[in-house]
Each structure stands twice: as structure tokens, then as C-alpha cells.
Amino acid sequence: MGGRGRSRTQRKHFHQSRENVWKRPKSDGSVTGTPDDNKRDNPWEPFTSQNSGFDEYYKEQEIVPNEEWDVFIEYLRKPLPAAFRINSSSQFYIDIKSQLENDFMKSLQAEDSNGCEVEAVKPIPWYPDNLAWQSNFSRNQLRKNQTLERFHEFLKLENEIGNITRQEAVSMVPPLFLDVRPHHFVLDMCAAPGSKTFQLLEMIHKLTEPGKLPSGMIIANDLDVQRCNLLIHQTKRMCTANLIVTNHEAQHFPSCHFRRNHSVDSEVEIDQEIGIRQLEFDRVLCDVPCSGDGTLRKAPDIWRKWNAGMGNGLHGLQVQIAMRGVALLKVGGKMVYSTCSMNPVENESVVAEVLRRSEGSMELVDVSNELPELIRRPGLKKWKVRDKGLWLASYKDVPRNRRSVVTPGMFPSGNALVETSEHNDETASKPLSKNSDENSENGVDLIDDSVAPTNNLEAEVSTLPLERCMRIVPHYQNSGAFFVAVFHKLSSLPSAQKQSENCPRKTHSCNAEAENLINEVKGDSNWEDTDLISGTDDPISEATLDVDVLGTDHSKKCLENERTETDTSPDAETGVKTTAGKRKLQIQGRWRGVDPVIFYRDDYTVGSIMEFYGIQDSFPFKGRLITRNNDNKHVKRIYYISNSVKEILELNFLAGQQLKIASVGIKMFERQTSKDGTAAPCIFRISSEGLPLIFPYVTKQILSASAVDFKHLLQYKSIKFSDFVDPEFGKKASNLLLGCCVVVLHKDGHIPSNGCEEKENLVAIGCWKGRTNVTVMVTALDCQELLERMSILFSTDENKSEAEPVMPKVNSSTLDAGAEANKSEAETN
């Protein structure tokens, strides 16, 4: 029964669905042969891999030398090799790298030498420390080759665990040029799907001393809520307390200025003398939304959709995002601007416009000597703009009726001076033809490739050092295409008012066009690794781009109005309006549909947790615990944050909660809701994500298991005390307090009582000590991964000697209990 106001799905709706571009039409005139032959033909055909407009456009732009064009196009039509990175902060990263070098690499090379057409897996030469790998094999080879099948299963498991990240090779390049250090505050402006964010997290954790958290942190932002969820899922595998995921328009990302007159509820207990007064970043990654034609090898549907108008429509939004990144960058900091597009209008022209608007406060860094094994081309210094079938060499060639779409910043010189000409006057006086209207879709002007160029003007040449940009092309190292530019901030930006006067823009129409373009490009393709975000919804003020949000009187007035509206809003619980001095920011929150971020202040619960697990006082607990539930009596999960994240959260409260936080911190403790859980002295168990961080400081509720008992726990999930191979282990387990415990794999049965560094190298899992048994509290994937790790950690002889004891007798009820506990853990994780 359908409710009022809901429409029912009917058969006619299926007839109205969009055309299936994968299926060949029955009336296709290309089908030849007898009718019977046609019936036997495969009704599915691959995407087309050519576009005459694409060829004409990029030949004219000279993105590769003429003699390389055929090879360039040939590579664009080939499937993209699979690439992945090893997580250098993983406990097992050395073992994984060794397995790749000594097992898969040699096995596949041996099969290749025996006549099998299999390209061996190999490290990417330009990525440091052999941590990035690449392989090229087809699905047919995967089905027929057992070694490849085993390799593929290895990739899937390690990727899900977080030990490796599957990522396009060229997508790994931008973070490498940021030179991230553990103390840096980093902003990833358009972060989804999260592979680059994960890479940045690896960098700050790898360079940090063992047993310590990085003093820096990363904010990963994305506009689209669904892509934010993908970003959270991707970065969750890192198990880090130094990450905040936000949901904002990149060009409007708030700077969270400290407000001295802002009052916070007394329960918040925020230190009014926090170290930062506004959000500024040492490093900014500006991987902007783009037309994505550099990903043609993995998204061949772009061949069909591509047109020059896609890049023109995104140019304005890209400049705005880049300028906001520059505004949020500290003096002396670095920003990387990158796209997966080959279009100079989205690349060099954006870089040139940023340099012009910054008026000497930004410089383009020459990084040609860095990563010498990465083969690249220098950036272009000259290009043309194509609009409505016309090639335009400079802004003076733009017809008057197109000057709101084609802006001066798209051209190499950026010169807005227009010389009146007969051609422009005549063009402006003519109404748009019917054909022109047909080429405008959703307000976005598309190119008409059937119209021949009307001029052959020489392109302008930029005087800026754009050759310092880098272009990565597919045929140099069998990869996708990418564009990267590295900026260094020399001084503060000029005033916003001056920029607004000199560079007027129709920002609202630009963003509407950008949104339609991105939706068109995304289509039905798999964009999991393509860094696109949806467009913007609101008009953009130029003042918010070139300086901080509070840089002008207009923005201050808007912010004061916003504060007034918030200050007089009704309380979520009582419905009573509260004044500015009594606002309950933590309880009420600002963002609709987003759980509030609340500092956890229940001293009694925290004290019982510390006592139960024997957590050393050296572990920094104070002010580092948060929840997303405004009812402290029914908190299910407690998250842990680093000191740098704590500072930003405090600043965010004092700034009026300008940050819309989708995810923050690492889940450290979780309430156990089972029957045994309510009877335990401590109802909070240590989560799988938080265990590696807190375990070096835990002194109670620890069991040391032999390899065979550890293996049996992973296999059977739940084992009675009397069924352990080592009777002493079962006895020690029975003597523990009811509740969560940590089982450690250790050869000699000794657990170091002191020394966090030694504890970090131990393999440990969270378990639940029940009344009669021990149950594993980790996911099935974690169990599978650890079982495979054990086969590497211990020699074959050791496994044989330990396998001699009889397997424990596990009854069905015990197995069911273990399965339920494992299922519960998987759901909460």
C-alpha cells in the first residue's frame, strides 16, 4: 500500500528509462550476414574509442609532438594497468612487500618465461621505497592462471583490510610533491574517494616516532554527501586519530576565525587560550573537479561524451577553488593543484589565473629535479580556446554574446582589453541559431564539432613560467594522463576588494554550468578513483575566494546575521530560544542531519575504563575523547582524537561551529550490549580500530597465546577454557575479569610489561572473556588476514610441530556464539 504523496513504480516507467548505450540496436545497419548469423551475433558491444572532436582539439593544442600522436592515441585506447600502494604505516608492510618481491613477482616471471602471455607484477619505478606496484592482466588470464587468481584474491583482501590501496598510478603523484611532514596541518579540498587522503595519512604516520601520534593532522573535505561516505569508508581503514572529514563547497571552505566575544555553554569546558586563532594550513592539496579525459583508459564512456565545452564550463569553478586554497595556505606553505584532465583551459590557464590574481604572493615551483624517474612533459605556454565551433586565440576574438562564458582568464595573456572589430559586432548582432540552441544542454554551452574553424590565428604566448607545471601522458610510462602544478606562498594575498574590481566574474552561472557538466561526465561510468565532485548550489562572492571569509565588511555583516539567527534559535530539547551567552552549541548543533561532536566528560566512566584495563597515566586521555551522541548516559561509541584535532574542534566551537563534520577521530571504545556485557565490571570494550593505538599502554586483561591457540581462536572464533591446547592459557583466561581482553601472539609466552615500542610489534586482537569461553571480537576479514600473516611469520617446521596437538572440540552452541559476536563486530565496524 502506497502512502499519500508517494508515486507508484509502474511498467511505463521502465520504458522511460535512459537509453542503454552498451547494447547494440537491432536495426544497426553495420550488422551484416544472414538473419541467422545476426541472431547469433553478440548483442553487446564495447564503448567507442574515438572522437573526431577530441583529435582535432588536442592536435591543435599540441599537447604532444606530432610524431608521438599515433602512439599517444594507441595507448589511450588500451586498458589501464592495475596499480596499488602498500600502506607504509601498516604493521605488516615489510612482509607484504617481501611477499610481492619474492613470491608473486618471481612466480609470474617464471610463468612468463615458459610462454604464458602474462606481464609480471612490478614496482612503479618513480614511487619511493618500492611501495607502489603495477600489473597488467586480463580477466581471461585471471581465470586461467592460478598464480594470478591467487594474486587477485591477495589484492582484494589486503585492500579491504587497509594494508594496500588500489589507486591509479598517476593519481599517486600529487601528494608526493607536497613534502608532508608529521607536524603539518594539511587540507585536502576535494578529497573523495579518498585514495590521496589515505596517502597523506600514511606520510604523517610513517615519519612519526614509534609510540607517538603525529602533531599534525589532515582535514579531508568533499561537497557531495555520498562521496563523503565513500571517503570515510576509505580512510577508516587507516585507523587514525588525526583526521577530520568535512562536507563543504571547496570554494567556500570556512576559516573558522576565533571570536573573543563568543560565549559557549559552561559544560563545554573549552580552553579559551587555544594555540590557533583561525584555520590555516601548511599544505593544501587542490585536486579539483575536472572533465576527466585523462581517465579515458579506465572510463571509456568519456569518448562518447567528450567535448571542448566541458573544460570551458569548469574553468571558473576551478579558479575559485584554487584561490580559496591559496587563501587558506600559510605563508611559506605549499599547495599542489592537479587535475585528471588534459585540457589547458582546466590546467595551465587556471594556474596562470591564480598567479595573476595573487599578484606576486604565489610562485610556481620548479620540481623538474624531483622524482627523476617520473617521465613528464613541461606545461604549455600557449593554447587556444574553442567555443561554439570557433577557435579563439585571444579574448578580443570572443563574440560579445559569448563574453559571459569565455572569460579573459582562459587565455594565456589573461588580457581583458577588447579591440572592437567588425567581425565581433556582426556576430554579436546576430541572434543565436537553432543549431546553437541545440548545442546548449542544461545551460552548458557545448561545442559543435560539425562546424569547421573560422580562423587560423596564432595563439597567445604566456609570459608566466608555466613550463614548471608537469603533464603526465599515457604513452611515456603506460599510465593515465594527469596535470600537476606546485605553488609556494611567499606573502599574504592582496585585498579581496581589489581583486573583485579587477576580475569580475559571473560566478553563479559558472557554478550552475559546472554542476551540470560534472553530472554529465559522471554518467553511468565507474568513477570510484576519479576525483570529481558535484557542482555548487549557491552564488559565490569573490571576497570569499582571495582572502579569508572575514576579510571584508560584507562578509562580516553576513556572519553577524548568521550568528543572530543561530543565537535566537529554539533549543532542540526545550524549544526555548537561548541567548548568545547561553547557547548549547554541543547539544543543539548547527548542521541539520549531522550528529554533533561532543567532548566526553564522564569522569566516572573514563576512570572505570582506565582502571579495568590498567591504562597507564602516560596515555593522554584528558580532552581527547568525543562522542556523536548528545545523551551521555546512552553513549554507544567513544572516539579518540589527537591533540591537533582537539585544537581544531575547540576552535570550531568558539567560531560558531562553522565546520560541518561528517567524521572525526578513531573509534576507541564501544559499549557491549550483550547479556554478559551488562554484567561485566566495564561495559566498554576496546574496538579493533583503537586497539593498535592504546594497546602499548594497557597493563591488565592481557593473555599471551601460543601460535596454535592463537590460530584456533581465529579459525573457530570462540573456544571454551578447557579446549585450549595450552592448559595454562585456559587457566589464565578463566581467571580474568568478565569482559573485554587482549590476546597477544607471542612465541615465548612473555609479554613485555614496559616499553611501548616493543608492544607495538606484537600481533594482538580484541576478545571477550565470557563465563566459560573466549570469543574473538574482530571481523572475519581480519581473522582471514591474520591467518595468512601467521603462515608467513612462522616457518613450515614450526607450523608442523604446533599442528600435532588435537584440534579443540568446539560444540555448535559455542560456534554460534562466536559467529554472533563476530557478526556484531563486523556490523559496528
Side-chain angles (χ1 to χ4, degrees), residues 276-287:
I276 53 177
R277 289 294 181 268
Q278 72 175 75
L279 277 184
E280 287 185 319
F281 298 91
D282 302 279
R283 300 290 186 266
V284 174
L285 177 57
C286 194
D287 191 58

Side-chain angles (χ1 to χ4, degrees), residues 88-146:
S88 57
S89 63
S90 167
Q91 184 180 11
F92 304 113
Y93 89 95
I94 295 178
D95 296 332
I96 292 172
K97 187 166 73 168
S98 176
Q99 189 175 358
L100 286 167
E101 293 171 344
N102 300 320
D103 181 5
F104 292 113
M105 188 174 175
K106 292 182 178 179
S107 299
L108 293 173
Q109 283 178 343
E111 293 191 12
D112 186 43
S113 63
N114 292 332
C116 298
E117 295 181 0
V118 177
E119 182 178 346
V121 59
K122 57 184 179 181
I124 297 175
W126 45 264
Y127 201 93
D129 302 326
N130 278 5
L131 290 175
W133 291 69
Q134 183 168 296
S135 180
N136 189 12
F137 54 84
S138 67
R139 291 186 178 181
N140 188 42
Q141 289 172 326
L142 183 65
R143 287 192 295 266
K144 293 182 179 181
N145 188 295
Q146 291 185 352

Side-chain angles (χ1 to χ4, degrees), residues 401-448:
N401 61 343
R402 302 298 299 165
R403 289 174 192 166
S404 61
V405 178
V406 181
T407 59
M410 293 182 180
F411 296 92
S413 69
N415 191 353
L417 297 178
V418 179
E419 299 177 5
T420 304
S421 65
E422 236 177 74
H423 170 72
N424 286 338
D425 291 338
E426 289 177 3
T427 308
S429 63
K430 290 182 181 180
L432 291 176
S433 65
K434 183 178 179 181
N435 189 37
S436 298
D437 292 336
E438 291 174 353
N439 286 315
S440 180
E441 182 178 348
N442 297 326
V444 181
D445 298 300
L446 306 179
I447 191 169
D448 181 5

Side-chain angles (χ1 to χ4, degrees), residues 543-555:
T544 64
L545 304 176
D546 299 329
V547 295
D548 292 317
V549 178
L550 300 181
T552 64
D553 294 336
H554 171 72
S555 58

Side-chain angles (χ1 to χ4, degrees), residues 608-627:
S608 65
I609 291 174
M610 295 187 67
E611 173 63 25
F612 182 77
Y613 295 107
I615 299 174
Q616 298 173 349
D617 293 335
S618 57
F619 185 75
F621 253 139
K622 186 178 180 181
R624 304 284 192 91
L625 299 179
I626 64 167
T627 69

